[in-house]
Amino acid sequence: MAEITLTNDNFQAEVLESDIPVLVDFWATWCGPCKMVGPIVAEIADEYEGKVKVGKVNVDEEQLLAMQYQVTAIPTLFVFKNGQVDGKIVGFASKEEIVKLF
């Protein structure tokens, strides 16, 4: 399963009600560091399939979600466990740093 496009409509079901950890990447098309972290997030989605769900939130299209989670800089990566934020990285991060959040 590849990355899921997260929206205000599916966030509750896909993230908050997920029975496995969810890595959520808040990003935008114009963001340079987002373009660098994107392939790493995609790699994690493939490698951890079935263990971790991976979703992406385009902050330009989903401003309510960005405001709700107080995303002021992108990329911002959250790990949700049992419907709660369990970890957060702001800015570019290596695969090792991201995987440590699980």
Side-chain angles (χ1 to χ4, degrees):
M1 177 164 82
E3 301 152 321
I4 301 163
T5 299
L6 295 171
T7 65
N8 213 30
D9 294 335
N10 70 0
F11 198 85
Q12 176 81 30
E14 293 289 359
V15 178
L16 303 181
E17 296 171 4
S18 176
D19 52 1
I20 59 174
V22 186
L23 174 65
V24 179
D25 177 11
F26 283 82
W27 70 289
T29 53
W30 46 265
C31 162
C34 297
K35 291 178 183 161
M36 295 184 336
V37 87
I40 297 170
V41 170
E43 204 175 292
I44 291 170
D46 289 341
E47 270 181 46
Y48 289 83
E49 187 175 339
K51 295 186 205 89
V52 176
K53 193 185 284 189
V54 177
K56 295 178 78 77
V57 176
N58 183 323
V59 296
D60 289 332
E61 295 170 5
E62 299 299 331
Q63 294 175 354
L64 281 175
L65 280 174
M67 286 190 313
Q68 185 178 344
Y69 289 98
Q70 299 169 351
V71 175
T72 55
I74 50 174
T76 295
L77 302 170
F78 288 98
V79 170
F80 287 82
K81 292 181 183 168
N82 304 314
Q84 301 292 316
V85 174
D86 192 64
K88 175 180 172 181
I89 294 176
V90 178
F92 178 80
S94 70
K95 183 176 175 185
E96 292 72 28
E97 291 173 285
I98 296 168
V99 170
K100 275 185 201 163
L101 291 177
F102 309 145

